[in-house]
Amino acid sequence: MNEQFLNRMQTMIPDEFEAFMASLDQDLYKALRINTKKVDPDRFPAPGLLGKPSPFADHSWYVDRPLGLDPYHICGLFYLQEPSASGVVGLLDVQKDDLVLDLCAAPGSKTTQIAQKLESGMLVCNEIDAKRAQALLSNLERMGVVNFALTNSESKPLCAAFENCFDKVLVDAPCSGEGMLKKHAIVAKTWSMDNILMCAARQKEIVSNAVRALKGGGVLVYSTCTYAKEENEEVVAWILERFPEMELVDCGAAFGRPGLKTPGMDASKVRRVFPMDGGEGQFMAKFVKKGDASNTPALLKNEKPNATERAFLREQVEGDFSFFHHSKEKLFRMEHAFLDFGKLKVVRQGVLVGEMKKNRFEPAHAFYMAADTMDRLKNKVSCGLREMDAYMHGEQIRIEGEPGFVGVCFNGYPFGFGKSDGHRINNKIPKGMRLLPKSHVRMDGEEQQ
């Protein structure tokens, strides 16, 4: 491991350096966060997965095994998240009707955590890297998020287009990732002061734009997963010097520890997490923007589904949806008015219901995964673990039922959809989401129907 890094850590935490070094030989901290949009935490169907409660967030639990192929993970009932990372979103104090911006969002742990707290509000999540944006979209769909827009933009034009619009802004900034040493060996191999300073410069640029997008009285939370003071406390001090309208407020968190003493900022108000605190590493600071500057974002006109689309919706779900938008032949819906992003690149806004193909309507996977749809589906079938595994590999499954499109469920929770001929269900799981031949749905315990 890089000698300069170790010397810096020894200077930073001299009394705990040995404990820090010992932590690097211990297993990676792992946790899951229950998706309260899809399941009541008190009725989580697999309590045997849960270890002790995490101190960093509600409905978050330590786990001791890989669970990416667990059936309930595939259904979107939980998100696998490094424990201390889940502490950041609580600082935002998201209210159910807030307009929230997650400016550096992929892969989506904090993004989906924010979405769980929203009801009539909306989340704009941005990811500058196109490939990572697609990974984020997949997680949004799996977790059933409804009121969101995913943009693929530089922070400057996005924040300029929504100046003084957001109630809450999260900048989970790209960083040198020292808190990811155990997860990604490349972090140790590529560590350098030049990289830290480059990251700090980029972080300041992103935060500068984020301040512009935040309305007066709004909350901005800045976070990283690195230990470097240059990317943490020194960035906080720079924000306070550069933007007098930004006030550093106490995080109010019981976990972790105060920051490192740094000129120009109160280290007692920020929060740090080291491995000795029960997580791999996190830094967080909370700001409030003074004043009352506020703008309302421009909205798109609400559109009506065509006759074929309306017929599909009546056939598939109980009740109505509120807002619709068409893009070419595709239909999207939300429970919040659609935002007008102008010329900014939008990867997805709202739930993709499906698209028209030669005068017929072909539904989308996202429609059946939406959290507010699953209990309203009229046509769904339930299968066991072996059938789920076969279906996730792209195979047909034999289940008797009414012909037509159906949600395919495990223990009542949708994980995809298909088209039944009355005897078997033709597979509609998107090819990019299907399991590889040697990967299989986890089958510990008894099958459930």
Side-chain angles (χ1 to χ4, degrees):
M1 188 170 292
N2 186 284
E3 195 69 26
Q4 187 179 2
F5 166 73
L6 295 179
N7 290 337
R8 279 166 55 88
M9 293 302 298
Q10 189 165 24
T11 302
M12 186 184 299
I13 48 171
D15 296 336
E16 295 181 277
F17 181 68
E18 288 188 9
F20 172 77
M21 291 300 294
S23 76
L24 299 181
D25 294 324
Q26 297 169 359
D27 290 340
L28 188 73
Y29 285 107
K30 298 185 288 290
L32 67 76
R33 190 189 74 250
I34 294 174
N35 183 2
T36 55
K37 290 292 188 182
K38 287 196 172 186
V39 63
D40 182 337
D42 293 332
R43 298 180 179 179
F44 184 65
L49 300 181
L50 309 179
K52 65 179 182 179
S54 163
F56 300 102
D58 293 337
H59 315 308
S60 182
W61 304 77
Y62 287 100
V63 296
D64 60 1
R65 70 198 85 173
L67 294 172
L69 293 174
D70 187 89
Y72 294 115
H73 182 264
I74 294 169
C75 292
L77 268 60
F78 63 84
Y79 196 105
L80 296 171
Q81 184 174 22
E82 190 280 312
S84 60
S86 67
V88 173
V89 168
L91 276 57
L92 277 173
D93 190 27
V94 175
Q95 302 300 303
K96 62 182 182 181
D97 59 348
D98 278 344
L99 181 62
V100 184
L101 172 62
D102 184 357
L103 198 49
C104 313
S109 64
K110 298 176 182 70
T111 313
T112 55
Q113 192 175 0
I114 292 169
Q116 285 181 216
K117 297 177 179 293
L118 293 172
E119 293 180 15
S120 56
M122 182 168 172
L123 171 62
V124 176
C125 47
N126 181 68
E127 175 53 49
I128 190 172
D129 183 273
K131 187 175 180 180
R132 284 169 56 84
Q134 288 299 319
L136 172 57
L137 177 59
S138 179
N139 280 323
L140 290 164
E141 288 187 346
R142 182 176 61 83
M143 297 294 278
V145 179
V146 175
N147 294 345
F148 77 95
L150 169 54
T151 55
N152 176 212
S153 172
E154 298 273 356
S155 61
K156 185 174 182 177
L158 174 60
C159 293
F162 289 87
E163 186 170 1
N164 297 321
C165 281
F166 291 97
D167 300 289
K168 309 288 165 59
V169 175
L170 173 62
V171 179
D172 185 42
C175 67
S176 58
E178 292 174 340
M180 306 290 282
L181 282 168
K182 286 193 290 185
K183 186 175 182 180
H184 301 299
I186 189 71
V187 174
K189 292 180 180 178
T190 61
W191 187 94
S192 71
M193 276 304 301
D194 286 344
N195 185 46
I196 286 173
L197 296 176
M198 181 194 71
C199 289
R202 181 172 55 188
Q203 290 152 2
K204 292 172 182 176
E205 179 184 358
I206 295 170
V207 171
S208 297
N209 297 319
V211 169
R212 184 175 183 182
L214 184 67
K215 65 171 56 174
V219 172
L220 183 149
V221 170
Y222 173 79
S223 64
T224 74
C225 61
T226 194
Y227 309 127
K229 189 176 180 180
E230 295 85 350
E231 301 178 64
N232 294 332
E233 289 88 352
E234 290 183 13
V235 171
V236 170
W238 179 86
I239 293 170
L240 295 173
E241 179 182 18
R242 176 68 176 79
F243 299 99
E245 69 271 30
M246 299 301 289
E247 177 187 3
L248 180 67
V249 298
D250 196 292
C251 283
F255 54 77
R257 61 183 72 191
L260 304 175
K261 290 184 179 180
T262 304
M265 56 84 67
D266 184 348
S268 69
K269 291 182 176 180
V270 303
R271 218 66 189 160
R272 273 182 173 266
V273 176
F274 287 98
M276 302 79 76
D277 304 317
E280 292 302 322
Q282 199 76 33
F283 173 87
M284 54 202 85
K286 179 177 180 177
F287 301 85
V288 173
K289 189 175 184 179
K290 302 171 187 176
D292 56 4
S294 178
N295 287 325
T296 301
L299 304 176
L300 297 175
K301 183 180 179 181
N302 194 21
E303 300 175 357
K304 294 182 179 180
N306 64 36
T308 304
E309 294 163 342
R310 288 198 303 272
F312 167 79
L313 291 169
R314 284 195 301 269
E315 175 191 276
Q316 292 292 312
V317 292
E318 301 282 355
D320 299 317
F321 298 118
S322 300
F323 297 94
F324 292 94
H325 177 69
H326 289 92
S327 178
K328 297 181 179 178
E329 297 297 310
K330 294 181 178 179
L331 176 67
F332 302 86
R333 64 97 180 169
M334 287 201 297
E335 294 305 300
H336 185 285
F338 283 75
L339 303 184
D340 186 350
F341 285 89
K343 295 182 179 180
L344 293 169
K345 184 178 179 181
V346 179
V347 178
R348 173 74 59 81
Q349 183 168 193
V351 175
L352 174 58
V353 180
E355 62 181 310
M356 294 295 301
K357 292 184 177 180
K358 297 180 180 179
N359 297 319
R360 62 180 176 83
F361 188 74
E362 182 75 18
H365 177 79
F367 173 77
Y368 291 90
M369 295 298 290
D372 66 346
T373 299
M374 64 180 197
D375 291 333
R376 298 161 58 185
L377 287 175
K378 293 181 180 179
N379 307 317
K380 54 186 177 181
V381 297
S382 193
C383 63
L385 286 171
R386 296 191 183 282
E387 291 168 311
M388 182 184 193
D389 183 73
Y391 207 68
M392 289 303 298
H393 282 92
E395 299 177 22
Q396 293 181 337
I397 53 176
R398 299 188 68 85
I399 295 180
E400 299 289 327
E402 294 295 320
F405 290 112
V406 294
V408 182
C409 308
F410 172 72
N411 200 20
Y413 299 103
F415 63 89
F417 82 107
K419 191 168 187 180
S420 173
D421 63 5
H423 305 287
R424 57 187 175 186
I425 299 173
N426 291 319
N427 201 303
K428 295 290 184 178
I429 296 288
K431 290 183 179 180
M433 297 182 63
R434 295 176 184 178
L435 299 181
L436 297 174
K438 293 185 179 180
S439 297
H440 293 280
V441 174
R442 198 176 72 88
M443 296 192 185
D444 293 357
E446 298 180 2
E447 287 198 26
Q448 302 175 47
Q449 294 291 331

PDB file of all heavy atoms in Angstrom, residues 242-273:
ATOM      1  N   ARG A 242     -16.359  31.168  -0.284  1.00  0.00           N
ATOM      2  CA  ARG A 242     -16.775  31.545  -1.646  1.00  0.00           C
ATOM      3  C   ARG A 242     -18.242  31.944  -1.712  1.00  0.00           C
ATOM      4  O   ARG A 242     -18.624  32.801  -2.514  1.00  0.00           O
ATOM      5  CB  ARG A 242     -16.511  30.337  -2.567  1.00  0.00           C
ATOM      6  CG  ARG A 242     -16.981  30.509  -4.000  1.00  0.00           C
ATOM      7  CD  ARG A 242     -16.183  31.545  -4.750  1.00  0.00           C
ATOM      8  NE  ARG A 242     -16.599  31.625  -6.133  1.00  0.00           N
ATOM      9  CZ  ARG A 242     -17.692  32.263  -6.559  1.00  0.00           C
ATOM     10  NH1 ARG A 242     -18.478  32.867  -5.678  1.00  0.00           N
ATOM     11  NH2 ARG A 242     -17.980  32.294  -7.848  1.00  0.00           N
ATOM     12  N   PHE A 243     -19.074  31.352  -0.864  1.00  0.00           N
ATOM     13  CA  PHE A 243     -20.514  31.598  -0.932  1.00  0.00           C
ATOM     14  C   PHE A 243     -21.041  32.024   0.442  1.00  0.00           C
ATOM     15  O   PHE A 243     -21.447  31.175   1.251  1.00  0.00           O
ATOM     16  CB  PHE A 243     -21.250  30.337  -1.400  1.00  0.00           C
ATOM     17  CG  PHE A 243     -20.844  29.858  -2.762  1.00  0.00           C
ATOM     18  CD1 PHE A 243     -19.937  28.814  -2.903  1.00  0.00           C
ATOM     19  CD2 PHE A 243     -21.343  30.469  -3.902  1.00  0.00           C
ATOM     20  CE1 PHE A 243     -19.551  28.371  -4.152  1.00  0.00           C
ATOM     21  CE2 PHE A 243     -20.952  30.043  -5.172  1.00  0.00           C
ATOM     22  CZ  PHE A 243     -20.057  28.992  -5.296  1.00  0.00           C
ATOM     23  N   PRO A 244     -21.032  33.311   0.723  1.00  0.00           N
ATOM     24  CA  PRO A 244     -21.492  33.795   2.037  1.00  0.00           C
ATOM     25  C   PRO A 244     -22.957  33.476   2.318  1.00  0.00           C
ATOM     26  O   PRO A 244     -23.371  33.493   3.490  1.00  0.00           O
ATOM     27  CB  PRO A 244     -21.255  35.310   1.959  1.00  0.00           C
ATOM     28  CG  PRO A 244     -21.143  35.623   0.498  1.00  0.00           C
ATOM     29  CD  PRO A 244     -20.562  34.410  -0.136  1.00  0.00           C
ATOM     30  N   GLU A 245     -23.718  33.166   1.287  1.00  0.00           N
ATOM     31  CA  GLU A 245     -25.126  32.808   1.496  1.00  0.00           C
ATOM     32  C   GLU A 245     -25.289  31.388   2.029  1.00  0.00           C
ATOM     33  O   GLU A 245     -26.390  30.996   2.442  1.00  0.00           O
ATOM     34  CB  GLU A 245     -25.920  32.957   0.190  1.00  0.00           C
ATOM     35  CG  GLU A 245     -25.599  31.962  -0.914  1.00  0.00           C
ATOM     36  CD  GLU A 245     -24.491  32.414  -1.839  1.00  0.00           C
ATOM     37  OE1 GLU A 245     -23.595  33.156  -1.381  1.00  0.00           O
ATOM     38  OE2 GLU A 245     -24.524  32.021  -3.024  1.00  0.00           O
ATOM     39  N   MET A 246     -24.220  30.620   2.051  1.00  0.00           N
ATOM     40  CA  MET A 246     -24.297  29.249   2.535  1.00  0.00           C
ATOM     41  C   MET A 246     -23.855  29.173   3.996  1.00  0.00           C
ATOM     42  O   MET A 246     -22.746  29.583   4.341  1.00  0.00           O
ATOM     43  CB  MET A 246     -23.449  28.324   1.670  1.00  0.00           C
ATOM     44  CG  MET A 246     -23.869  28.264   0.214  1.00  0.00           C
ATOM     45  SD  MET A 246     -25.572  27.714  -0.033  1.00  0.00           S
ATOM     46  CE  MET A 246     -25.410  25.976   0.397  1.00  0.00           C
ATOM     47  N   GLU A 247     -24.728  28.636   4.829  1.00  0.00           N
ATOM     48  CA  GLU A 247     -24.449  28.496   6.258  1.00  0.00           C
ATOM     49  C   GLU A 247     -24.238  27.019   6.595  1.00  0.00           C
ATOM     50  O   GLU A 247     -25.081  26.180   6.282  1.00  0.00           O
ATOM     51  CB  GLU A 247     -25.612  29.048   7.077  1.00  0.00           C
ATOM     52  CG  GLU A 247     -25.438  28.873   8.578  1.00  0.00           C
ATOM     53  CD  GLU A 247     -26.664  29.280   9.369  1.00  0.00           C
ATOM     54  OE1 GLU A 247     -27.684  29.657   8.732  1.00  0.00           O
ATOM     55  OE2 GLU A 247     -26.613  29.221  10.609  1.00  0.00           O
ATOM     56  N   LEU A 248     -23.109  26.707   7.219  1.00  0.00           N
ATOM     57  CA  LEU A 248     -22.846  25.351   7.686  1.00  0.00           C
ATOM     58  C   LEU A 248     -23.637  25.109   8.961  1.00  0.00           C
ATOM     59  O   LEU A 248     -23.526  25.876   9.923  1.00  0.00           O
ATOM     60  CB  LEU A 248     -21.351  25.157   7.946  1.00  0.00           C
ATOM     61  CG  LEU A 248     -20.906  23.780   8.443  1.00  0.00           C
ATOM     62  CD1 LEU A 248     -21.120  22.724   7.368  1.00  0.00           C
ATOM     63  CD2 LEU A 248     -19.435  23.819   8.875  1.00  0.00           C
ATOM     64  N   VAL A 249     -24.458  24.063   8.969  1.00  0.00           N
ATOM     65  CA  VAL A 249     -25.262  23.746  10.148  1.00  0.00           C
ATOM     66  C   VAL A 249     -24.872  22.370  10.673  1.00  0.00           C
ATOM     67  O   VAL A 249     -24.291  21.559   9.952  1.00  0.00           O
ATOM     68  CB  VAL A 249     -26.779  23.803   9.843  1.00  0.00           C
ATOM     69  CG1 VAL A 249     -27.179  25.203   9.415  1.00  0.00           C
ATOM     70  CG2 VAL A 249     -27.162  22.784   8.769  1.00  0.00           C
ATOM     71  N   ASP A 250     -25.200  22.116  11.916  1.00  0.00           N
ATOM     72  CA  ASP A 250     -24.846  20.846  12.537  1.00  0.00           C
ATOM     73  C   ASP A 250     -25.546  19.689  11.828  1.00  0.00           C
ATOM     74  O   ASP A 250     -26.742  19.758  11.538  1.00  0.00           O
ATOM     75  CB  ASP A 250     -25.232  20.864  14.011  1.00  0.00           C
ATOM     76  CG  ASP A 250     -24.558  19.740  14.788  1.00  0.00           C
ATOM     77  OD1 ASP A 250     -24.911  18.573  14.537  1.00  0.00           O
ATOM     78  OD2 ASP A 250     -23.695  20.028  15.625  1.00  0.00           O
ATOM     79  N   CYS A 251     -24.808  18.624  11.577  1.00  0.00           N
ATOM     80  CA  CYS A 251     -25.397  17.459  10.916  1.00  0.00           C
ATOM     81  C   CYS A 251     -26.480  16.800  11.774  1.00  0.00           C
ATOM     82  O   CYS A 251     -27.386  16.154  11.244  1.00  0.00           O
ATOM     83  CB  CYS A 251     -24.305  16.428  10.606  1.00  0.00           C
ATOM     84  SG  CYS A 251     -23.284  16.861   9.188  1.00  0.00           S
ATOM     85  N   GLY A 252     -26.358  16.925  13.078  1.00  0.00           N
ATOM     86  CA  GLY A 252     -27.357  16.312  13.953  1.00  0.00           C
ATOM     87  C   GLY A 252     -27.347  14.807  13.922  1.00  0.00           C
ATOM     88  O   GLY A 252     -28.365  14.161  14.176  1.00  0.00           O
ATOM     89  N   ALA A 253     -26.193  14.225  13.604  1.00  0.00           N
ATOM     90  CA  ALA A 253     -26.097  12.767  13.481  1.00  0.00           C
ATOM     91  C   ALA A 253     -25.457  12.174  14.735  1.00  0.00           C
ATOM     92  O   ALA A 253     -24.486  12.711  15.270  1.00  0.00           O
ATOM     93  CB  ALA A 253     -25.274  12.403  12.255  1.00  0.00           C
ATOM     94  N   ALA A 254     -26.013  11.034  15.166  1.00  0.00           N
ATOM     95  CA  ALA A 254     -25.475  10.367  16.350  1.00  0.00           C
ATOM     96  C   ALA A 254     -24.338   9.414  15.999  1.00  0.00           C
ATOM     97  O   ALA A 254     -23.606   8.968  16.879  1.00  0.00           O
ATOM     98  CB  ALA A 254     -26.597   9.603  17.061  1.00  0.00           C
ATOM     99  N   PHE A 255     -24.197   9.064  14.719  1.00  0.00           N
ATOM    100  CA  PHE A 255     -23.172   8.114  14.303  1.00  0.00           C
ATOM    101  C   PHE A 255     -21.865   8.843  13.974  1.00  0.00           C
ATOM    102  O   PHE A 255     -21.818  10.062  13.846  1.00  0.00           O
ATOM    103  CB  PHE A 255     -23.645   7.309  13.096  1.00  0.00           C
ATOM    104  CG  PHE A 255     -24.098   8.170  11.942  1.00  0.00           C
ATOM    105  CD1 PHE A 255     -23.186   8.796  11.114  1.00  0.00           C
ATOM    106  CD2 PHE A 255     -25.455   8.353  11.687  1.00  0.00           C
ATOM    107  CE1 PHE A 255     -23.593   9.594  10.057  1.00  0.00           C
ATOM    108  CE2 PHE A 255     -25.874   9.147  10.625  1.00  0.00           C
ATOM    109  CZ  PHE A 255     -24.936   9.765   9.818  1.00  0.00           C
ATOM    110  N   GLY A 256     -20.799   8.066  13.822  1.00  0.00           N
ATOM    111  CA  GLY A 256     -19.529   8.622  13.383  1.00  0.00           C
ATOM    112  C   GLY A 256     -18.889   9.532  14.408  1.00  0.00           C
ATOM    113  O   GLY A 256     -19.062   9.378  15.619  1.00  0.00           O
ATOM    114  N   ARG A 257     -18.166  10.541  13.909  1.00  0.00           N
ATOM    115  CA  ARG A 257     -17.400  11.442  14.770  1.00  0.00           C
ATOM    116  C   ARG A 257     -17.284  12.803  14.101  1.00  0.00           C
ATOM    117  O   ARG A 257     -17.535  12.947  12.894  1.00  0.00           O
ATOM    118  CB  ARG A 257     -16.005  10.852  14.993  1.00  0.00           C
ATOM    119  CG  ARG A 257     -15.236  10.689  13.689  1.00  0.00           C
ATOM    120  CD  ARG A 257     -13.887  10.029  13.899  1.00  0.00           C
ATOM    121  NE  ARG A 257     -14.025   8.606  14.222  1.00  0.00           N
ATOM    122  CZ  ARG A 257     -13.011   7.867  14.663  1.00  0.00           C
ATOM    123  NH1 ARG A 257     -11.814   8.427  14.817  1.00  0.00           N
ATOM    124  NH2 ARG A 257     -13.186   6.585  14.918  1.00  0.00           N
ATOM    125  N   PRO A 258     -16.903  13.834  14.869  1.00  0.00           N
ATOM    126  CA  PRO A 258     -16.699  15.158  14.255  1.00  0.00           C
ATOM    127  C   PRO A 258     -15.573  15.129  13.233  1.00  0.00           C
ATOM    128  O   PRO A 258     -14.781  14.179  13.169  1.00  0.00           O
ATOM    129  CB  PRO A 258     -16.345  16.046  15.456  1.00  0.00           C
ATOM    130  CG  PRO A 258     -16.799  15.300  16.661  1.00  0.00           C
ATOM    131  CD  PRO A 258     -16.679  13.846  16.322  1.00  0.00           C
ATOM    132  N   GLY A 259     -15.480  16.214  12.459  1.00  0.00           N
ATOM    133  CA  GLY A 259     -14.429  16.330  11.458  1.00  0.00           C
ATOM    134  C   GLY A 259     -13.094  16.708  12.059  1.00  0.00           C
ATOM    135  O   GLY A 259     -12.932  16.782  13.290  1.00  0.00           O
ATOM    136  N   LEU A 260     -12.129  16.973  11.179  1.00  0.00           N
ATOM    137  CA  LEU A 260     -10.789  17.381  11.593  1.00  0.00           C
ATOM    138  C   LEU A 260     -10.715  18.902  11.661  1.00  0.00           C
ATOM    139  O   LEU A 260     -11.279  19.601  10.802  1.00  0.00           O
ATOM    140  CB  LEU A 260      -9.759  16.856  10.587  1.00  0.00           C
ATOM    141  CG  LEU A 260      -9.761  15.339  10.354  1.00  0.00           C
ATOM    142  CD1 LEU A 260      -8.770  14.995   9.250  1.00  0.00           C
ATOM    143  CD2 LEU A 260      -9.435  14.585  11.637  1.00  0.00           C
ATOM    144  N   LYS A 261     -10.035  19.406  12.668  1.00  0.00           N
ATOM    145  CA  LYS A 261      -9.926  20.855  12.825  1.00  0.00           C
ATOM    146  C   LYS A 261      -9.316  21.476  11.583  1.00  0.00           C
ATOM    147  O   LYS A 261      -8.255  21.052  11.113  1.00  0.00           O
ATOM    148  CB  LYS A 261      -9.087  21.177  14.056  1.00  0.00           C
ATOM    149  CG  LYS A 261      -9.775  20.828  15.379  1.00  0.00           C
ATOM    150  CD  LYS A 261      -8.926  21.261  16.558  1.00  0.00           C
ATOM    151  CE  LYS A 261      -9.647  20.931  17.873  1.00  0.00           C
ATOM    152  NZ  LYS A 261      -8.828  21.342  19.050  1.00  0.00           N
ATOM    153  N   THR A 262     -10.013  22.484  11.063  1.00  0.00           N
ATOM    154  CA  THR A 262      -9.610  23.110   9.804  1.00  0.00           C
ATOM    155  C   THR A 262      -9.943  24.595   9.860  1.00  0.00           C
ATOM    156  O   THR A 262     -11.070  24.967  10.228  1.00  0.00           O
ATOM    157  CB  THR A 262     -10.354  22.476   8.609  1.00  0.00           C
ATOM    158  OG1 THR A 262     -10.108  21.071   8.612  1.00  0.00           O
ATOM    159  CG2 THR A 262      -9.897  23.073   7.292  1.00  0.00           C
ATOM    160  N   PRO A 263      -9.012  25.484   9.534  1.00  0.00           N
ATOM    161  CA  PRO A 263      -9.306  26.917   9.522  1.00  0.00           C
ATOM    162  C   PRO A 263     -10.482  27.236   8.595  1.00  0.00           C
ATOM    163  O   PRO A 263     -10.591  26.670   7.507  1.00  0.00           O
ATOM    164  CB  PRO A 263      -8.012  27.547   8.996  1.00  0.00           C
ATOM    165  CG  PRO A 263      -6.951  26.547   9.311  1.00  0.00           C
ATOM    166  CD  PRO A 263      -7.606  25.205   9.169  1.00  0.00           C
ATOM    167  N   GLY A 264     -11.363  28.104   9.049  1.00  0.00           N
ATOM    168  CA  GLY A 264     -12.457  28.565   8.213  1.00  0.00           C
ATOM    169  C   GLY A 264     -13.738  27.780   8.327  1.00  0.00           C
ATOM    170  O   GLY A 264     -14.715  28.103   7.643  1.00  0.00           O
ATOM    171  N   MET A 265     -13.783  26.753   9.174  1.00  0.00           N
ATOM    172  CA  MET A 265     -15.014  25.987   9.349  1.00  0.00           C
ATOM    173  C   MET A 265     -15.030  25.338  10.727  1.00  0.00           C
ATOM    174  O   MET A 265     -13.979  25.126  11.344  1.00  0.00           O
ATOM    175  CB  MET A 265     -15.193  24.932   8.247  1.00  0.00           C
ATOM    176  CG  MET A 265     -14.061  23.942   8.080  1.00  0.00           C
ATOM    177  SD  MET A 265     -14.112  22.513   9.187  1.00  0.00           S
ATOM    178  CE  MET A 265     -15.576  21.696   8.579  1.00  0.00           C
ATOM    179  N   ASP A 266     -16.240  25.057  11.203  1.00  0.00           N
ATOM    180  CA  ASP A 266     -16.437  24.428  12.511  1.00  0.00           C
ATOM    181  C   ASP A 266     -16.486  22.912  12.327  1.00  0.00           C
ATOM    182  O   ASP A 266     -17.487  22.357  11.857  1.00  0.00           O
ATOM    183  CB  ASP A 266     -17.737  24.941  13.139  1.00  0.00           C
ATOM    184  CG  ASP A 266     -17.966  24.415  14.551  1.00  0.00           C
ATOM    185  OD1 ASP A 266     -17.248  23.488  14.964  1.00  0.00           O
ATOM    186  OD2 ASP A 266     -18.883  24.921  15.226  1.00  0.00           O
ATOM    187  N   ALA A 267     -15.404  22.252  12.706  1.00  0.00           N
ATOM    188  CA  ALA A 267     -15.298  20.807  12.474  1.00  0.00           C
ATOM    189  C   ALA A 267     -16.311  20.011  13.285  1.00  0.00           C
ATOM    190  O   ALA A 267     -16.611  18.863  12.933  1.00  0.00           O
ATOM    191  CB  ALA A 267     -13.888  20.332  12.804  1.00  0.00           C
ATOM    192  N   SER A 268     -16.858  20.583  14.337  1.00  0.00           N
ATOM    193  CA  SER A 268     -17.830  19.851  15.155  1.00  0.00           C
ATOM    194  C   SER A 268     -19.169  19.679  14.448  1.00  0.00           C
ATOM    195  O   SER A 268     -19.984  18.836  14.845  1.00  0.00           O
ATOM    196  CB  SER A 268     -18.051  20.578  16.493  1.00  0.00           C
ATOM    197  OG  SER A 268     -18.739  21.811  16.304  1.00  0.00           O
ATOM    198  N   LYS A 269     -19.406  20.453  13.380  1.00  0.00           N
ATOM    199  CA  LYS A 269     -20.698  20.413  12.696  1.00  0.00           C
ATOM    200  C   LYS A 269     -20.748  19.374  11.570  1.00  0.00           C
ATOM    201  O   LYS A 269     -21.834  19.016  11.107  1.00  0.00           O
ATOM    202  CB  LYS A 269     -21.044  21.798  12.141  1.00  0.00           C
ATOM    203  CG  LYS A 269     -21.349  22.823  13.221  1.00  0.00           C
ATOM    204  CD  LYS A 269     -21.740  24.168  12.628  1.00  0.00           C
ATOM    205  CE  LYS A 269     -22.122  25.141  13.720  1.00  0.00           C
ATOM    206  NZ  LYS A 269     -22.506  26.476  13.171  1.00  0.00           N
ATOM    207  N   VAL A 270     -19.587  18.916  11.112  1.00  0.00           N
ATOM    208  CA  VAL A 270     -19.563  17.923  10.030  1.00  0.00           C
ATOM    209  C   VAL A 270     -19.395  16.546  10.637  1.00  0.00           C
ATOM    210  O   VAL A 270     -19.178  16.388  11.843  1.00  0.00           O
ATOM    211  CB  VAL A 270     -18.449  18.225   9.010  1.00  0.00           C
ATOM    212  CG1 VAL A 270     -18.617  19.617   8.436  1.00  0.00           C
ATOM    213  CG2 VAL A 270     -17.065  18.060   9.644  1.00  0.00           C
ATOM    214  N   ARG A 271     -19.492  15.518   9.795  1.00  0.00           N
ATOM    215  CA  ARG A 271     -19.420  14.156  10.307  1.00  0.00           C
ATOM    216  C   ARG A 271     -18.482  13.324   9.455  1.00  0.00           C
ATOM    217  O   ARG A 271     -18.499  13.397   8.222  1.00  0.00           O
ATOM    218  CB  ARG A 271     -20.823  13.524  10.290  1.00  0.00           C
ATOM    219  CG  ARG A 271     -21.088  12.638  11.477  1.00  0.00           C
ATOM    220  CD  ARG A 271     -21.133  13.441  12.756  1.00  0.00           C
ATOM    221  NE  ARG A 271     -21.170  12.569  13.934  1.00  0.00           N
ATOM    222  CZ  ARG A 271     -20.829  12.980  15.144  1.00  0.00           C
ATOM    223  NH1 ARG A 271     -20.427  14.204  15.334  1.00  0.00           N
ATOM    224  NH2 ARG A 271     -20.896  12.150  16.169  1.00  0.00           N
ATOM    225  N   ARG A 272     -17.671  12.522  10.133  1.00  0.00           N
ATOM    226  CA  ARG A 272     -16.783  11.567   9.498  1.00  0.00           C
ATOM    227  C   ARG A 272     -17.100  10.167   9.995  1.00  0.00           C
ATOM    228  O   ARG A 272     -17.506   9.985  11.144  1.00  0.00           O
ATOM    229  CB  ARG A 272     -15.318  11.869   9.844  1.00  0.00           C
ATOM    230  CG  ARG A 272     -14.630  12.866   8.934  1.00  0.00           C
ATOM    231  CD  ARG A 272     -13.188  13.039   9.356  1.00  0.00           C
ATOM    232  NE  ARG A 272     -12.446  13.875   8.401  1.00  0.00           N
ATOM    233  CZ  ARG A 272     -11.737  13.406   7.400  1.00  0.00           C
ATOM    234  NH1 ARG A 272     -11.647  12.100   7.202  1.00  0.00           N
ATOM    235  NH2 ARG A 272     -11.091  14.231   6.584  1.00  0.00           N
ATOM    236  N   VAL A 273     -16.899   9.193   9.118  1.00  0.00           N
ATOM    237  CA  VAL A 273     -17.008   7.790   9.497  1.00  0.00           C
ATOM    238  C   VAL A 273     -15.744   7.082   9.034  1.00  0.00           C
ATOM    239  O   VAL A 273     -15.357   7.174   7.864  1.00  0.00           O
ATOM    240  CB  VAL A 273     -18.247   7.118   8.861  1.00  0.00           C
ATOM    241  CG1 VAL A 273     -18.281   5.632   9.209  1.00  0.00           C
ATOM    242  CG2 VAL A 273     -19.530   7.803   9.312  1.00  0.00           C
TER     243      VAL A 273
END
